[in-house]
Amino acid sequence: MRIAVCDDASTDGEMLAGLCRRFDPELSPEVAVFTSGRSLLDAYDRGERFDILFLDVEMPEKTAIAILADKEEIGSCGNTGLQSDFLRFLIGDLAK
């Protein structure tokens, strides 16, 4: 299992990565930590793929929604939430 953690606060990202590694040692997850949305998207450009993404909602360069939208354009497997009704409800709530 491959997990990506993206948080501009590197200590928070490392803490979450440590929790992921200890959660179920039998899974032996490979956890990659990124400190910017751009660096995560660069990994996708290089062909890296992840089973789970943990994204900081607000980062200086790109928000989590912008990262997910860009990831969809690059091409990836799995549901990011952008293809579900959840996004419609989220956008509706943001517009209020």
Side-chain angles (χ1 to χ4, degrees):
M1 173 182 296
R2 299 196 72 220
I3 300 172
V5 175
C6 186
D7 195 320
D8 58 314
S10 60
T11 53
D12 293 345
E14 290 296 338
M15 182 182 69
L16 182 54
L19 290 172
C20 290
R21 289 182 188 106
R22 289 190 304 270
F23 178 72
D24 188 347
E26 288 184 23
L27 288 177
S28 300
E30 178 186 335
V31 184
V33 179
F34 300 92
T35 56
S36 72
R38 180 75 266 153
S39 61
L40 173 60
L41 292 172
D42 287 345
Y44 268 89
D45 280 338
R46 291 189 304 272
E48 293 186 49
R49 295 296 181 263
F50 301 95
D51 301 301
I52 299 172
L53 298 177
F54 288 103
L55 303 174
D56 184 356
V57 174
E58 226 176 283
M59 291 184 282
E61 188 180 304
K62 286 184 175 283
T63 65
I65 296 292
I67 292 168
L68 292 175
D70 288 350
K71 187 174 97 39
E72 288 294 317
E73 288 181 18
I74 292 169
S76 64
C77 301
N79 186 353
T80 61
L82 293 178
Q83 300 167 353
S84 70
D85 282 337
F86 174 77
L87 183 63
R88 180 171 49 98
F89 296 127
L90 172 68
I91 291 172
D93 288 343
L94 291 174
K96 289 182 185 177

